[in-house]
Amino acid sequence: MSYNVNEIKPSSELWYTRPAANWDEALPVGNGRMGAMIFGGPSNELLQLNEDSVWSGNFRNRNNPKAYDNLEKMRRLINEEKTAEAEQLCSDAFYGTNENQRHYQPLGDLHIWQSAPEYSDFTRGLSLDKAISWVSFKSEGVTFTREIFASCPDECIIVRFTADKKGSISFTAAIDGRDDNYDKNEAYDNKTILFTVSDGIPYSCAITVTAKGGECGTDANRLVCKNADEAMLIIAAQTSWRTGDHEKLCISQAKKAARLTSEKLIERHIADYTKLYDRCALELNNENGVNSALPTDERLKAVKEENVSDNELVAMYFNFSRYLMISGSREGTLPLNLQGIWNKDMWPAWGGKYTVNINTEMNYWGAEIQNLSECHTPLFDHIERMRENGRVTARTMYNCGGTVCHHNTDIWGDTAPQDKWLPGTLWPMGMAWLCTHIWEHYLFTGDKTFLAEKFDTLCESAEFFADYLTEDEKGRLVTNPSVSPENTYYAKNGRTGTLCKGPSMDSQILFTLFTAVINASEILDENHAFAQKLRSMRDRLPKPEIGKYGQIMEWAEDYDEVEPGHRHISQLYALYPADIINPSKTPELAQAARATLERRLSHGGGHTGWSRAWIINMWARLLDGEKVGENVQALLSHSTSINMFDMHPPFQIDGNFGGGAGIAEALIQSRYDGVSDAAYITLLPALPPEWKSGSMRGIKARGGFEAGFEWSNGRITGAVIKSMNGSRLSLRADGEITVTCEGKQTEAILVNNAYEFETEAGKTYFISVK
């Protein structure tokens, strides 16, 4: 396979003219379960390896048995605004009995030494179209190429070595890492080395070498290849979390893959990957003579230092988010954690866990709209792992039914409070927010079988709050105790506080969750009594309120924030990802949401990558394309490493997914509640002025639709919409719409500036706009 920089696709290939200087410049590959970061050194290559179930240990019960006995006292202290006393009680009775859940860990480091004392014509890159990373250079008159890919069908990471002169390939490879903490690092046979670790979750890694021509084999704990025409390293890994005999299984997988040719392995890999990746594509035409043929790091430098609007780089960011989703989250794997699956540290930032007060959820914001529903399933599987633990936490800590999780979970689905950190720890909404993803999946797919399977999970999450909510002095039902994630307020007495009752985000999440249960009950004709109970409770939840700055209030009282530019903007959950606030239904609240964003940003908000990504989505929901463009530019300028990873800093993958979702949200928005007659789609609702012309295909919309469209000079020129479920559609675009299906015009009625028409499942509708 040739890697000619003159043929680089500027929106789908990352490339560079020097090796990675550090981890944040290395390039990721993954098959959902295994991942590698590739540095690209000609003479000293490093593949930093991961496997998604390599974590620090087994499950442990961390629920604090003192919590329930102190619950009413805690509520009384919060009601009386005795913040210092409440926080002391929290520390004594509500923190987990062990501060930390289990944390994610690296698998090891694979080193490859290849003689290249001097080299030229160096390039390295990553093809998003094929999910193959490459390194190419010339040394002593020979052009060497390494191709690295992570195969899902063959469950291995493969390094393929080729050269333009026969007999030129020689290298030595060895694995280490884990702070030198391993059990075996030795030859298994004459072609395979075995690396095993029993610390934490035990695992094994087998690496096999093959060659055409020359010779290859093992030398103690190293793999050696001499004078080959072509060679491969095949890396397989398994853990005790998935299988009883991880050593045997990973050896079997490595040897099975080694029996295939490199061409067959690549063919199988590309076929598997492209059936997901090729569903959707975004093209944004560059304007003003932007040089998109430059290496990726130089393009990012131009954005940062010269404020260049590189539209094809924006399209690459969108495509990269889809690449990361496919590479990091496949059916049967664990969900994406804070670092996805790519992590070099034994103690990664925040443990590399699942932070469920926004970060894990943001990881999956793009899954449905970007036509990758299958990649969403690891999150649903993990919710099921959490359910039983969440029942124990609900009973032990709160004497409530149902299931609950606080602001973090781990590989085992631990639901007890994480950390000893007042602004974040005692937040009981993690399971509830995660469960809204079940409902979103249904709204996009219309899969009633899935909804029926997950209905009890939705109900069980809501059941906890049916027991937990308390009545405030205004007769409203509120959470107590809780926090507004990671933020701190000034109480009326001038003291700072974190613990509170009824923070705005909690009520908004509960409105969304209760609505999901109520509507699912109607769709499935099940559990009507519980749905009616939730309907009555939903009516008593606090509604979004406007505060003294014209902003959406973050707490039940109109407190000032200690940090007005805080990275979390939790009170705008109602705007995005929920659909409680929008400019057409709630214009006054939408204006207050705008004021909230402006206030946050004027005080330095959006300084983390994921926060900036959330802001992009919120400006899109407010239909402000100019602000979308400004914040996409800021995301690229301030929060993107040269390998396109999102930087918190440090690296956190959520911003990549949130940014990709925000780009989609600027181009198409949809609304559907699952029970109404029609779904609503708007094309180009928040198009940045810089994105004058482009095209999108394979994007998904709620109500079971798949759309493709083109635009020029900011206006839709044509669209194609496929109806999966036969829902009635209300379509809005800038202009007069004509709809045809199978060569015949479909009646479309203009209602409230949108064209409504009936659809049939499986049929495609062609939209012309004038």
Side-chain angles (χ1 to χ4, degrees):
M1 196 171 293
S2 173
Y3 297 97
N4 184 344
V5 296
N6 295 317
E7 299 173 1
I8 290 289
K9 299 176 183 177
S11 62
S12 61
E13 289 184 276
L14 291 68
W15 73 285
Y16 310 85
T17 57
R18 59 178 177 83
N22 54 57
W23 195 91
D24 293 324
E25 296 183 359
L27 293 173
V29 297
N31 62 10
R33 185 175 63 82
M34 294 181 67
M37 294 293 287
I38 303 147
F39 284 66
S43 58
N44 187 354
E45 174 65 284
L46 170 61
L47 271 67
Q48 184 270 305
L49 302 172
N50 290 102
E51 202 274 356
D52 69 349
S53 58
V54 174
W55 287 61
S56 61
N58 292 321
F59 176 77
R60 52 194 175 195
N61 180 1
R62 302 168 43 259
N63 292 298
N64 195 325
K66 297 168 65 176
Y68 178 65
D69 289 341
N70 288 278
L71 181 59
E72 289 309 314
K73 181 179 179 181
M74 170 69 80
R75 287 171 168 167
R76 185 174 66 254
L77 292 172
I78 289 172
N79 288 337
E80 295 171 359
E81 278 198 347
K82 294 181 177 178
T83 56
E85 294 92 331
E87 290 170 358
Q88 180 58 48
L89 182 60
C90 179
S91 178
D92 179 56
F94 288 85
Y95 287 157
T97 53
N98 185 297
E99 179 178 353
N100 287 308
Q101 298 167 346
R102 297 305 189 178
H103 59 273
Y104 190 46
Q105 294 185 328
L107 187 156
D109 295 333
L110 177 62
H111 300 272
I112 303 169
W113 296 280
Q114 189 171 357
S115 179
E118 294 183 358
Y119 62 88
S120 62
D121 300 342
F122 177 89
T123 62
R124 67 183 177 100
L126 174 64
S127 166
L128 304 181
D129 291 336
K130 298 181 177 65
I132 296 177
S133 181
W134 82 88
V135 180
S136 180
F137 57 92
K138 182 177 287 188
S139 182
E140 298 181 330
V142 180
T143 297
F144 295 92
T145 302
R146 293 196 290 263
E147 296 164 287
I148 307 96
F149 58 97
S151 170
C152 186
D154 291 299
E155 297 200 67
C156 296
I157 294 172
I158 292 117
V159 185
R160 182 195 189 202
F161 301 79
T162 57
D164 64 357
K165 181 182 177 182
K166 287 190 174 184
S168 299
I169 297 172
S170 298
F171 62 82
T172 301
I175 186 171
D176 62 15
R178 297 285 302 187
D179 294 340
D180 208 33
N181 183 11
Y182 57 84
D183 299 322
K184 294 180 184 177
N185 190 355
E186 62 193 28
Y188 172 78
D189 60 23
N190 65 351
K191 291 289 191 291
T192 301
I193 58 173
L194 182 64
F195 181 72
T196 68
V197 173
S198 58
D199 182 50
I201 293 179
Y203 69 90
S204 300
C205 177
I207 308 174
T208 294
V209 63
T210 69
K212 292 180 182 178
E215 56 184 277
C216 67
T218 57
D219 177 8
N221 65 340
R222 300 181 299 169
L223 294 160
V224 178
C225 178
K226 295 180 180 179
N227 306 321
D229 304 334
E230 179 184 320
M232 285 193 297
L233 290 173
I234 298 167
I235 309 151
Q238 289 289 344
T239 78
S240 65
W241 191 80
R242 285 195 169 88
T243 180
D245 196 339
H246 46 87
E247 189 172 309
K248 180 179 179 181
L249 181 56
C250 74
I251 291 168
S252 172
Q253 288 175 332
K255 289 190 170 296
K256 182 179 178 182
R259 290 193 288 270
L260 298 175
T261 65
S262 61
E263 291 81 7
K264 177 57 74 172
L265 288 166
I266 290 172
E267 176 188 330
R268 286 163 57 82
H269 160 67
I270 291 176
D272 170 78
Y273 172 79
T274 54
K275 72 182 180 185
L276 294 171
Y277 184 82
D278 286 356
R279 290 176 182 173
C280 178
L282 170 63
E283 292 185 8
L284 294 175
N285 299 334
N286 263 335
E287 312 286 341
N288 305 321
V290 172
N291 186 359
S292 57
L294 294 171
T296 304
D297 51 344
E298 294 182 33
R299 293 170 70 185
L300 278 165
K301 184 178 180 181
V303 170
K304 294 175 182 179
E305 296 182 2
E306 303 169 30
N307 199 31
V308 167
S309 294
D310 188 339
N311 291 343
E312 288 183 290
L313 191 64
V314 173
M316 182 192 286
Y317 199 97
F318 176 85
N319 291 328
F320 187 56
S321 72
R322 296 190 300 118
Y323 168 82
L324 293 174
M325 178 68 70
I326 299 167
S327 300
S329 184
R330 300 291 286 270
E331 292 178 276
T333 72
L334 282 157
L336 296 149
N337 63 47
L338 280 172
Q339 282 77 33
I341 56 172
W342 298 277
N343 159 54
K344 63 181 171 58
D345 297 315
M346 292 293 286
W347 265 100
W350 302 284
K353 298 188 296 296
Y354 307 105
T355 303
V356 294
N357 66 7
I358 187 170
N359 312 94
T360 302
E361 291 88 351
M362 183 180 286
N363 284 351
Y364 288 93
W365 281 354
E368 301 296 336
I369 196 171
Q370 292 178 338
N371 209 340
L372 294 171
S373 288
E374 299 94 325
C375 296
H376 212 163
T377 58
L379 184 64
F380 307 140
D381 294 342
H382 205 62
I383 291 170
E384 296 306 314
R385 291 185 196 102
M386 296 165 63
R387 274 178 77 184
E388 177 55 36
N389 297 331
R391 292 173 191 142
V392 174
T393 299
R395 290 193 299 270
T396 302
M397 291 190 63
Y398 305 108
N399 195 30
C400 291
T403 185
V404 67
C405 179
H406 295 85
H407 90 298
N408 266 267
T409 188
D410 64 7
I411 186 173
W412 303 104
D414 188 342
T415 54
Q418 161 68 27
D419 299 325
K420 294 182 177 179
W421 187 48
L422 287 166
T425 295
L426 198 58
W427 187 70
M429 305 303 299
M431 180 71 81
W433 192 347
L434 289 174
C435 283
T436 66
H437 280 248
I438 293 171
W439 182 239
E440 277 290 286
H441 180 75
Y442 173 75
L443 293 181
F444 274 92
T445 65
D447 186 343
K448 288 187 180 179
T449 301
F450 168 83
L451 185 62
E453 290 173 352
K454 301 300 182 185
F455 183 59
D456 286 348
T457 306
L458 289 173
C459 289
E460 196 167 4
S461 179
E463 183 186 347
F464 170 79
F465 294 98
D467 290 344
Y468 182 73
L469 296 181
T470 63
E471 186 175 291
D472 72 0
E473 63 280 0
K474 298 178 183 178
R476 304 176 301 183
L477 294 177
V478 297
T479 53
N480 185 7
S482 189
V483 297
S484 186
E486 304 188 20
N487 209 351
T488 304
Y489 60 84
Y490 286 112
K492 294 174 185 175
N493 58 17
R495 295 178 179 174
T496 62
T498 55
L499 295 172
C500 64
K501 61 182 177 183
S504 298
M505 182 186 237
D506 289 14
S507 301
Q508 295 166 12
I509 291 173
L510 290 179
F511 185 94
T512 306
L513 176 65
F514 288 3
T515 299
V517 175
I518 292 163
N519 291 0
S521 171
E522 181 177 337
I523 293 163
L524 299 171
D525 193 22
E526 288 188 31
N527 211 345
H528 295 291
F530 186 55
Q532 183 54 46
K533 179 179 180 179
L534 293 184
R535 190 176 283 109
S536 298
M537 295 183 70
R538 184 181 64 178
D539 291 342
R540 296 179 62 194
L541 293 172
K543 309 297 188 294
E545 294 183 83
I546 299 174
K548 56 180 173 284
Y549 301 110
Q551 89 290 3
I552 300 294
M553 286 165 47
E554 183 163 356
W555 292 274
E557 300 292 336
D558 195 10
Y559 295 137
D560 279 336
E561 313 99 321
V562 172
E563 184 184 347
H566 199 271
R567 61 196 175 277
H568 283 259
I569 316 177
S570 301
Q571 66 271 44
L572 294 191
Y573 172 93
L575 177 65
Y576 187 94
D579 185 35
I580 299 168
I581 296 174
N582 70 58
S584 61
K585 290 195 306 183
T586 58
E588 290 185 5
L589 291 176
Q591 185 58 40
R594 173 179 288 274
T596 306
L597 281 175
E598 290 171 344
R599 177 173 162 79
R600 273 289 201 269
L601 288 167
S602 69
H603 287 86
H607 51 279
T608 66
W610 66 262
S611 180
R612 183 70 65 179
W614 193 5
I615 288 166
I616 292 167
N617 284 276
M618 290 189 282
W619 281 124
R621 284 285 175 90
L622 290 172
L623 311 181
D624 194 327
E626 186 171 339
K627 291 293 186 182
V628 168
E630 287 177 12
N631 284 275
V632 168
Q633 191 80 349
L635 183 66
L636 291 170
S637 298
H638 305 302
S639 301
T640 302
S641 182
I642 71 163
N643 66 356
M644 298 296 284
F645 267 169
D646 168 69
M647 300 302 289
H648 182 288
F651 163 59
Q652 242 180 241
I653 205 166
D654 40 19
N656 285 109
F657 297 118
I663 292 165
E665 200 73 19
L667 300 174
I668 184 171
Q669 291 181 25
S670 60
R671 299 203 322 271
Y672 185 56
D673 63 9
V675 295
S676 298
D677 291 338
Y680 298 84
I681 294 176
T682 303
L683 302 180
L684 305 186
L687 185 73
E690 300 87 359
W691 307 354
K692 291 181 181 178
S693 302
S695 65
M696 171 68 83
R697 64 170 173 82
I699 201 81
K700 295 296 287 289
R702 294 171 185 84
F705 294 96
E706 182 176 311
F709 46 91
E710 297 180 353
W711 69 96
S712 180
N713 293 319
R715 297 188 74 246
I716 289 286
T717 56
V720 179
I721 297 177
K722 183 175 182 180
S723 175
M724 305 300 180
N725 305 325
S727 303
R728 182 175 176 82
L729 177 59
S730 177
L731 179 65
R732 179 173 295 188
D734 184 13
E736 183 180 337
I737 290 174
T738 302
V739 182
T740 59
C741 178
E742 298 178 345
K744 298 178 182 178
Q745 186 166 335
T746 299
E747 182 181 19
I749 302 169
L750 183 62
V751 179
N752 295 327
N753 298 316
Y755 288 83
E756 291 191 6
F757 56 96
E758 301 290 343
T759 73
E760 293 183 40
K763 290 193 174 181
T764 300
Y765 296 82
F766 296 87
I767 315 297
S768 60
V769 184
K770 60 180 181 178

